[in-house]
Amino acid sequence: MSTLPRRYEILLVPEHVEDRGGASVEDSAVRSAVVEATGRTGSSGYPRYEGHGLAADIDPETRTVEALLVDGRELDYGLTALVRTAPGA
Protein backbone atom coordinates (compact mmCIF):
# COMPACT_ATOMS: atom_id res chain seq x y z
CA MET A 1 0.00 0.00 0.00
CA SER A 2 1.41 3.37 -1.04
CA THR A 3 1.62 6.26 1.39
CA LEU A 4 1.99 8.80 -1.40
CA PRO A 5 -0.95 11.17 -1.88
CA ARG A 6 -3.01 10.18 -4.93
CA ARG A 7 -3.67 13.77 -5.90
CA TYR A 8 -2.62 17.34 -5.29
CA GLU A 9 -3.91 20.71 -6.34
CA ILE A 10 -1.30 22.89 -8.06
CA LEU A 11 -1.82 26.64 -8.00
CA LEU A 12 0.06 28.91 -10.40
CA VAL A 13 0.42 32.30 -8.76
CA PRO A 14 2.27 35.49 -9.68
CA GLU A 15 5.57 35.73 -7.78
CA HIS A 16 5.06 39.38 -7.01
CA VAL A 17 1.78 41.19 -6.66
CA GLU A 18 1.78 44.66 -5.15
CA ASP A 19 -1.78 44.56 -3.85
CA ARG A 20 -3.90 41.44 -3.64
CA GLY A 21 -6.85 43.49 -2.43
CA GLY A 22 -7.15 41.29 0.64
CA ALA A 23 -7.20 38.08 -1.40
CA SER A 24 -5.21 35.09 -0.21
CA VAL A 25 -2.35 33.73 -2.28
CA GLU A 26 -4.58 30.80 -3.27
CA ASP A 27 -7.32 33.18 -4.41
CA SER A 28 -4.73 35.02 -6.51
CA ALA A 29 -3.90 31.96 -8.60
CA VAL A 30 -4.08 32.54 -12.35
CA ARG A 31 -4.59 28.83 -12.88
CA SER A 32 -5.15 25.78 -10.76
CA ALA A 33 -5.51 22.10 -11.48
CA VAL A 34 -5.91 18.85 -9.63
CA VAL A 35 -3.21 16.41 -10.67
CA GLU A 36 -3.25 12.66 -10.02
CA ALA A 37 -0.39 10.26 -9.39
CA THR A 38 0.63 8.38 -12.53
CA GLY A 39 2.58 5.66 -10.73
CA ARG A 40 5.71 6.72 -12.62
CA THR A 41 8.77 8.62 -11.52
CA GLY A 42 9.62 11.83 -13.37
CA SER A 43 13.02 12.87 -14.70
CA SER A 44 13.74 14.61 -11.39
CA GLY A 45 13.41 11.32 -9.52
CA TYR A 46 10.18 12.30 -7.76
CA PRO A 47 6.69 10.88 -8.31
CA ARG A 48 4.92 12.15 -11.43
CA TYR A 49 1.46 13.73 -11.24
CA GLU A 50 -0.63 14.78 -14.25
CA GLY A 51 -3.96 16.40 -14.99
CA HIS A 52 -5.72 19.27 -16.74
CA GLY A 53 -2.69 20.23 -18.84
CA LEU A 54 -0.16 20.08 -15.99
CA ALA A 55 2.55 17.47 -15.54
CA ALA A 56 4.58 17.77 -12.34
CA ASP A 57 7.22 15.92 -10.37
CA ILE A 58 6.35 16.54 -6.72
CA ASP A 59 8.44 15.78 -3.65
CA PRO A 60 5.77 14.34 -1.32
CA GLU A 61 7.90 14.98 1.78
CA THR A 62 8.24 18.74 1.27
CA ARG A 63 5.33 19.23 -1.17
CA THR A 64 7.70 21.01 -3.53
CA VAL A 65 7.23 21.01 -7.29
CA GLU A 66 10.57 19.80 -8.64
CA ALA A 67 9.62 19.87 -12.34
CA LEU A 68 6.56 21.27 -14.10
CA LEU A 69 5.14 21.47 -17.59
CA VAL A 70 2.09 23.61 -18.33
CA ASP A 71 0.38 22.58 -21.54
CA GLY A 72 3.65 20.91 -22.58
CA ARG A 73 5.79 23.99 -21.90
CA GLU A 74 7.95 25.25 -19.06
CA LEU A 75 6.36 27.57 -16.52
CA ASP A 76 6.35 31.23 -17.57
CA TYR A 77 8.71 33.59 -15.75
CA GLY A 78 6.99 35.49 -12.98
CA LEU A 79 4.81 32.55 -11.94
CA THR A 80 5.42 30.10 -9.16
CA ALA A 81 3.76 26.77 -8.43
CA LEU A 82 2.28 26.07 -5.03
CA VAL A 83 0.98 22.69 -3.93
CA ARG A 84 -1.77 21.78 -1.53
CA THR A 85 -3.51 18.52 -0.84
CA ALA A 86 -6.51 18.19 -3.10
CA PRO A 87 -9.92 17.60 -1.58
CA GLY A 88 -10.56 13.88 -1.21
CA ALA A 89 -6.88 13.00 -1.64
Side-chain angles (χ1 to χ4, degrees):
M1 179 176 196
S2 174
T3 59
L4 294 176
R6 290 290 310 147
R7 71 180 68 138
Y8 285 107
E9 182 176 19
I10 296 177
L11 303 141
L12 302 180
V13 297
E15 288 181 352
H16 176 73
V17 175
E18 299 247 348
D19 179 16
R20 294 186 191 278
S24 68
V25 172
E26 289 84 1
D27 289 338
S28 299
V30 295
R31 183 169 175 177
S32 67
V34 173
V35 293
E36 304 233 3
T38 65
R40 298 187 316 266
T41 300
S43 59
S44 68
Y46 291 99
R48 178 70 122 182
Y49 292 80
E50 295 180 359
H52 305 280
L54 301 184
D57 298 357
I58 300 174
D59 178 347
E61 210 169 290
T62 63
R63 294 176 19 151
T64 301
V65 176
E66 297 294 340
L68 177 67
L69 293 176
V70 179
D71 298 328
R73 305 175 117 171
E74 291 183 8
L75 187 63
D76 289 338
Y77 288 108
L79 293 176
T80 190
L82 302 177
V83 175
R84 65 180 175 185
T85 303

